[in-house]
Structures are given as C-alpha cells and as structure tokens.
Amino acid sequence: MTVKDDSFTNWKNREEIAESMIPIIGKMHRERDVTVLIHSRSLVNKSVVSILKTHRFARQIVGEELSVTETMPFLQALTTLDLGPSQIDIGILAEDYRADSRGLSVEAFTAEAVAGATGENKIERRDGRDVVLYGFGRIGRLVARLLIEKAGSGNGLRLRAIVVRGGGDQDLVKRASLLRRDSIHGQFQGTITVDEANSTIVANGNEIKVIYANDPSEVDYTAYGINDAILIDNTGKWRDREGLSKHLRPGIDKVVLTAPGKGDVPNIVHGVNHDMIKPDEQILSCASCTTNAIVPPLKAMDDEYGVLRGHVETVHSFTNDQNLLDNYHKADRRGRSAPLNMVITETGAASAVAKALPDLKAPITGSSIRVPVPDVSIAILSLRLGRETSRDEVLDYLRDVSLHSPLKRQIDFTTAPDAVSMDFVGSRHASIVDAGATKVDGDNAILYLWYDNEFGYSCQVIRVVQHVSGVEYPTYPVPTV
C-alpha cells in the first residue's frame, strides 16, 4: 500500500469515528444540557468535517496533533457518568491524560476530572429563561442566531420576541430573510418560516413574536406570555440608567445593553468582571467590542507581569454608523465614504478599561482607524510592563492562558504565519493573540489582537446573559492557570 493510500485510509477511519461522535454529542446536549468542547470550541451540531477540523486546530496552539482516536474514549466514558448540566472539554481531558503519570484508566481519569458535574455535586436542570431582543440590526440578528443555536434541550435561554419599529409592506418577510442570509456570516444553520398572520418567525422550532413599537412604553410583554425576561437592547439609543429603565415593563426583569453604558451602569466584560454583577442589578452593559477584545489580554498581562502604562490602537472594520458615500454626519470624518477610505476616529475602549478593571492603576490611552473591511478588527496593544521578559516567555504564557485559564473562552491564540482578518470571521472568542506579530523588548510588549467585532462580541453578550439568567454552566476540567 502506498503512503497516499495510507493517508486516505487514515482519513476515512477518522471520518467514521467523528460520524459516530455526532449522535452521542447531540444526545448529551438535548437530554443532559452537556456541551462537549475541544479547546473551548463546541462540537454540538457540527458536521463530520467540522469535528475533524476542530481537532486539527489543536496542533496550532498545543503543538501536537489531536485525533478523534484520542478523544473518542473520553466521550464514551462521559456517557457512563451521571452528568448534570455542564461544559466538558474532551480536548483538555486528552491533553491532561497524556501528562498524567498515575496509570489511571480513561474511565477513572474522566470520572475524577468531571466529578463536580456528577452525582450529588451536579447542578439540577433549570427552567428556561425568556429573552427579548429590542432592535434587530447587525448584533441583534447574530445574538438571535446564537440564542436559537443554544436552545438545545429547551432548558436554557428562549428567544421569545423581537421588538422593532414598523417597516411597511413585507416587513416580517424581509426581517426573516436578513436572519436567514448574511453576506458576512453566511446562511442560518436551520430552517426559518414566517407566520405573517400571527407576526411570528419560527426558527428551528422556536416561535419568535415580532412586536412593533416605537417606544418601550408601548409594550406589555405579559400580554404575549413573556415573564421574568431578560431584554437585550441592541439599538444603543439609551445608554444611561434613566433611559434603559424604560424597558423595565411588565414581563421584563433585567436589561442588557450591547453598547458601552454611561454613568453608573456597570460595564461587564465576561471572563473578567462578570462575577461582580449584583444579583439585584437590573441594568447592565456589555461594553464595546473593542473593550471586550483588549480587557481580557490586558488582565492576563497585568496578572503575570504588571502593567505600568499602555496604548491601544484599533484598526476597525467600518460599521452602519458610517456613510457608504460622502454625506453629512454629525461626527468628524465619519461622513466620508466608509468603503473607500481609512478614517481616523475615536474609541472609548481605553477609558472603559477602568470600569472593567478598577484595580488596574496604569493609564491606558487609545485611538482608532476605521478601514474598508466589513468585519473583523485588530487591536494593537502596546504595554510597558512591570518587569523585563522575553517574546518566548510571553507567547508561552498567553498560549497557556488560552488553553487552561478562566479566560480561555475570551482569549484565543494563533500561530498561523499567513493569518489575515477574514480568517477570524465567526470566531467566538473576544480576541485572538497573533503569535507571529507579537513583539517584546525588555519591559515593552506589543500584542496584536484580532477580533470579530460582530460575532465574537455577540458571543460575549450571550455569556453575560447566561450568567445573569443562571444558565451558565461550569466547565470541566477546571482551569488550572
């Protein structure tokens, strides 16, 4: 047999194993609220090739190949356990097992690693929590996709309604079409039908009421059977407590803003300060996409090296706030054509750091350039550190943070030598450290952080909503960094 035949046979064998994983992963998700991960990447509802590619990605960040032949025994071991709602990373399980020298069986090692999610320790499945989207633009539609994707067993977040202003004839059909097809993020994964008579969009079996209103005061959500809901405001029209309080109508318990909050509104970056949310807090903000991109790696660097000062320069994709062609705009420069120009503008991300990291005393400055790409941005974070270090040390540390720390859902890591912005469309992390571009000289470090300013940010929003709703389940093995 030739080498070529050997490679093809090996591929077919791995395809067969990945195919057998799919029903196990799906059943655990539907029946137990267990999400199976590979290095923080969910395998739920993934195809055979997607599962194999997710395993292959481990080579980039761990430096070793990860095969389904290694992870399948851990997945099978999980099926024998009395698991409660949780997220279980079989990639980390396999990696930790390699390093373990005690000679335990896969079954015994797995049972030990996920003990917090089994038997008397497990979390009981909770009733679902109603969610309402106020506004249905770029972020609103991506958040909707994520909520529908994560409906799973029906015991998590349930998208019950969307509130928009009336748009004339065929409004419902057009909005459903925008949810179904996206020029950047591709086709919706599933089926969408429209019930115009009942003003409802049905997506993968989820009935979503479309409510037309020009102001929050016009809506009584209990009239639609919605109670104790979390409302996600995607409009950015109101950003202080007084304005956002208008949403606290019958049926709404909490309000989450997808823009930086003003005044005393808490700005939350999941993974960094979400544990500081008070149980009785009804209004909070998820800050900006750029704040979410820079705060997790900034915290990681401060924890290890200390940060004395910093500057962030964001090279940001253009947004709907800009004009397609030159026209009047209330802001300086943003009236110039977005697809044709690089546009110098301001960012509030640097000042927002203080809200998310109040213990960080280092001054952080920032500026931004909008560039002619429709999605994915990069933040160049220049830091003066508290001690001297080396490039290799920083990269080893950040790689470890991306794999094993509580920030592993926020910070990703790539060693791809030819990485460009389009490679990160659809990334679920808040930011991705580009190892090849990183520069370190003594106590100065420059990090290049890619981020999908639409989808990655939407994932952070969902994580905050899961946390305040009580359906954010623990991850095993427990992070060690």
Side-chain angles (χ1 to χ4, degrees):
M1 182 178 288
T2 67
V3 173
K4 181 178 179 181
D5 289 337
D6 283 342
S7 297
F8 185 67
T9 300
N10 179 266
W11 171 261
K12 299 301 287 184
N13 288 339
R14 286 185 289 132
E15 270 191 325
E16 185 177 0
I17 295 171
E19 191 172 90
S20 66
M21 285 179 156
I22 292 173
I24 300 173
I25 293 166
K27 186 175 182 179
M28 292 177 69
H29 185 58
R30 288 191 306 274
E31 297 183 1
R32 304 191 193 182
D33 273 355
V34 173
T35 300
V36 178
L37 312 170
I38 291 285
H39 292 300
S40 300
R41 289 161 171 79
S42 172
L43 297 184
V44 176
N45 292 329
K46 295 297 188 290
S47 67
V48 168
V49 173
S50 291
I51 290 173
L52 293 174
K53 286 181 68 176
T54 304
H55 279 74
R56 176 73 174 170
F57 181 80
R59 185 173 63 91
Q60 264 200 48
I61 50 179
V62 184
E64 295 182 74
E65 194 76 29
L66 180 65
S67 171
V68 289
T69 59
E70 293 179 84
T71 58
M72 183 60 167
F74 294 96
L75 184 61
Q76 291 171 325
L78 291 174
T79 65
T80 68
L81 301 174
D82 180 25
L83 287 169
S86 55
Q87 300 187 99
I88 299 179
D89 197 318
I90 58 175
I92 299 296
L93 277 174
E95 184 187 342
D96 289 351
Y97 186 68
R98 282 178 183 172
D100 191 82
S101 59
R102 294 174 296 165
L104 296 177
S105 67
V106 167
E107 292 76 15
F109 183 85
T110 302
E112 179 184 89
V114 303
T118 60
E120 295 180 356
N121 296 323
K122 70 180 182 182
I123 297 172
E124 293 303 319
R125 298 174 74 183
R126 301 182 175 97
D127 292 335
R129 187 71 176 269
D130 290 351
V131 178
V132 172
L133 296 180
Y134 199 96
F136 204 49
R138 296 298 303 156
I139 300 301
R141 291 194 297 274
L142 291 177
V143 168
R145 285 188 174 199
L146 286 165
L147 288 168
I148 295 162
E149 170 195 301
K150 295 179 180 297
S153 65
N155 292 320
L157 301 173
R158 302 177 302 198
L159 177 56
R160 296 293 309 281
I162 297 162
V163 183
V164 293
R165 290 178 293 184
D169 293 341
Q170 296 290 297
D171 182 90
L172 196 65
V173 172
K174 290 177 180 177
R175 294 187 189 278
S177 181
L178 286 169
L179 179 62
R180 183 182 291 114
R181 288 177 285 268
D182 189 282
S183 299
I184 296 170
H185 301 283
Q187 297 278 341
F188 174 80
Q189 297 300 304
T191 62
I192 294 175
T193 57
V194 175
D195 181 353
E196 289 189 89
N198 293 302
S199 191
T200 300
I201 296 173
V202 183
N204 290 357
N206 295 267
E207 295 187 2
I208 307 162
K209 189 74 174 181
V210 179
I211 302 169
Y212 294 99
N214 293 315
D215 189 81
S217 64
E218 299 176 11
V219 189
D220 178 353
Y221 295 96
T222 59
Y224 302 96
I226 298 169
N227 292 284
D228 195 34
I230 298 172
L231 182 144
I232 304 174
D233 185 327
N234 305 291
T235 68
K237 183 176 180 180
W238 304 279
R239 293 172 58 185
D240 59 12
R241 186 173 296 276
E242 180 181 1
L244 292 168
S245 294
K246 296 178 180 180
H247 290 303
L248 294 173
R249 305 280 299 152
I252 302 299
D253 178 57
K254 295 182 185 294
V255 179
V256 175
L257 171 66
T258 62
K262 295 182 177 180
D264 66 342
V265 174
N267 279 249
I268 304 301
V269 174
H270 189 276
V272 175
N273 66 338
H274 67 276
D275 289 336
M276 303 301 291
I277 301 173
K278 298 176 182 178
D280 60 349
E281 179 60 74
Q282 288 188 289
I283 295 174
L284 53 93
S285 157
C286 290
S288 70
C289 55
T290 301
T291 303
N292 276 266
I294 65 173
V295 165
L298 185 56
K299 173 177 167 49
M301 292 297 287
D302 187 51
D303 287 346
E304 179 66 17
Y305 301 103
V307 173
L308 302 182
R309 70 173 68 93
H311 176 81
V312 60
E313 187 78 34
T314 66
V315 182
H316 199 291
S317 59
F318 65 81
T319 67
N320 272 332
D321 176 62
Q322 295 171 259
N323 293 331
L324 288 175
L325 296 172
D326 289 2
N327 207 348
Y328 174 81
H329 195 293
K330 63 181 180 180
D332 294 340
R333 305 187 201 240
R334 290 199 187 189
R336 303 301 298 277
S337 172
L340 298 177
N341 294 291
M342 293 189 291
V343 179
I344 298 173
T345 185
E346 296 177 347
T347 176
S351 59
V353 168
K355 281 194 169 185
L357 284 175
D359 293 336
L360 180 70
K361 304 306 179 185
I364 306 293
T365 58
S367 52
S368 180
I369 303 172
R370 296 288 180 95
V371 294
V373 295
D375 187 31
V376 179
S377 305
I378 190 166
I380 305 167
L381 188 58
S382 181
L383 303 174
R384 174 77 181 276
L385 304 177
R387 66 176 175 87
E388 292 193 354
T389 182
S390 68
R391 182 174 181 273
D392 287 345
E393 182 187 341
V394 168
L395 290 178
D396 286 345
Y397 169 65
L398 290 175
R399 180 189 289 109
D400 205 33
V401 166
S402 75
L403 290 171
H404 300 292
S405 82
L407 291 171
K408 66 182 181 180
R409 297 170 74 192
Q410 283 70 43
I411 300 176
D412 202 2
F413 190 91
T414 182
T415 58
D418 56 352
V420 294
S421 60
M422 284 300 292
D423 297 334
F424 304 104
V425 172
S427 169
R428 295 178 181 239
H429 288 78
S431 63
I432 306 101
V433 176
D434 191 314
T438 300
K439 294 175 173 56
V440 179
D441 181 13
D443 60 357
N444 290 294
I446 302 176
L447 307 182
Y448 286 73
L449 308 167
W450 298 101
Y451 58 109
D452 184 330
N453 47 278
E454 293 187 334
F455 196 74
Y457 175 68
S458 296
C459 290
Q460 282 287 90
V461 172
I462 290 293
R463 291 170 189 140
V464 170
V465 174
Q466 286 177 318
H467 179 74
V468 299
S469 69
V471 297
E472 183 183 33
Y473 299 133
T475 300
Y476 297 94
V478 175
T480 55
V481 175

